[in-house]
Amino acid sequence: MINMPITKNIARINDLNGNFIKDFIESGKKIFGEDMLRSVESCVQCGCCTGGCPSSRRTALRTRKLFREMFLGFKESVLGGDDLWLCTTCYTCYERCPRGVKTTDIIKVLRNMAVRQGYMAEAHRMTASYVFKTGHGVPANEEVQKLRVELGLDSLPPTTHSYPEALKSVQEILKLTGFDEIVGFDWKTMELRRKE
């Protein structure tokens, strides 16, 4: 018989946060209204979200597990873990849920809570830095422009790429909302500050 430590998989009472689900509901209601509470209460942990998730086929994301940890009050595990950032927001789980749980919206609310508490995946910080610099999360480089033309589109989308004067407005909104501070964007260097 192999002697394995079992404490690794045991929930500790100190890890639980009794207010986490309540805080989540309040955050969600600010964005999505009363539907958020009904949506969360409708989840029966059937697993359709995880079973149909394209991301879970290639990553450790298990939406059902993430939600279960949220319901149980594992705030640090949910907000501080990598799983929250593995969702691509494709809405497959949302469309397949037999109970109409707004899974993707729930993940967005959890991400907002995580960011407010100082958690953000480095890849998302990098994407945000492109928005600060260009007004786009995925700027239209030469390869993208060529592909757009091949598809019969203008080489540049009708965004800040075509209207560069609008970039100043985007940047001003990012400053006014404090998103630059949340992400850690340095306007002098136009780069992300290193996380400590």
Side-chain angles (χ1 to χ4, degrees):
M1 181 172 183
I2 299 172
N3 186 10
M4 295 181 67
I6 59 169
T7 56
K8 188 167 128 179
N9 295 321
I10 295 176
R12 291 180 177 79
I13 196 73
N14 293 343
D15 295 339
L16 301 177
N17 182 314
N19 290 324
F20 182 40
I21 191 71
K22 187 171 80 173
D23 294 344
F24 165 79
I25 298 283
E26 287 306 309
S27 293
K29 280 170 42 177
K30 288 177 187 171
I31 300 169
F32 299 106
E34 293 295 326
D35 277 353
M36 183 54 65
L37 176 59
R38 282 190 295 278
S39 182
V40 170
E41 288 178 337
S42 296
C43 180
V44 293
Q45 288 283 297
C46 69
C48 285
C49 52
T50 298
C53 177
S55 183
S56 73
R57 292 182 204 131
R58 292 182 164 65
T59 71
L61 175 63
R62 301 296 177 262
T63 309
R64 177 178 175 229
K65 176 181 171 266
L66 186 72
F67 287 9
R68 186 70 179 150
E69 288 179 349
M70 178 186 69
F71 296 142
L72 292 172
F74 288 99
K75 180 178 179 179
E76 291 303 313
S77 175
V78 172
L79 299 184
D82 293 335
D83 290 2
L84 188 58
W85 302 99
L86 297 175
C87 172
T88 64
T89 64
C90 72
Y91 286 86
T92 301
C93 54
Y94 192 106
E95 292 169 350
R96 292 186 178 175
C97 179
R99 303 278 299 177
V101 176
K102 298 180 177 182
T103 48
T104 309
D105 295 343
I106 290 169
I107 287 175
K108 288 178 184 180
V109 171
L110 289 170
R111 283 181 176 174
N112 285 337
M113 291 175 71
V115 168
R116 283 194 303 271
Q117 302 221 357
Y119 300 109
M120 182 183 263
E122 194 60 27
H124 286 78
R125 289 182 71 229
M126 287 300 298
T127 300
S129 76
Y130 293 131
V131 176
F132 288 104
K133 295 175 192 180
T134 68
H136 289 266
V138 182
N141 59 23
E142 286 183 34
E143 185 179 329
V144 169
Q145 290 178 40
K146 183 180 173 186
L147 182 58
R148 287 180 58 85
V149 170
E150 288 174 13
L151 292 170
L153 303 169
D154 291 337
S155 64
L156 293 173
T159 60
T160 56
H161 285 308
S162 297
Y163 304 99
E165 65 278 5
L167 179 57
K168 287 185 181 183
S169 296
V170 171
Q171 291 172 335
E172 191 60 32
I173 291 168
L174 295 168
K175 288 177 188 176
L176 288 171
T177 60
F179 193 60
D180 53 347
E181 290 301 317
I182 291 171
V183 171
F185 189 78
D186 186 333
W187 290 102
K188 291 178 185 155
T189 64
M190 294 299 283
E191 297 295 334
L192 292 171
R193 290 188 291 272
R194 291 186 184 260
K195 280 193 134 187
E196 298 169 10

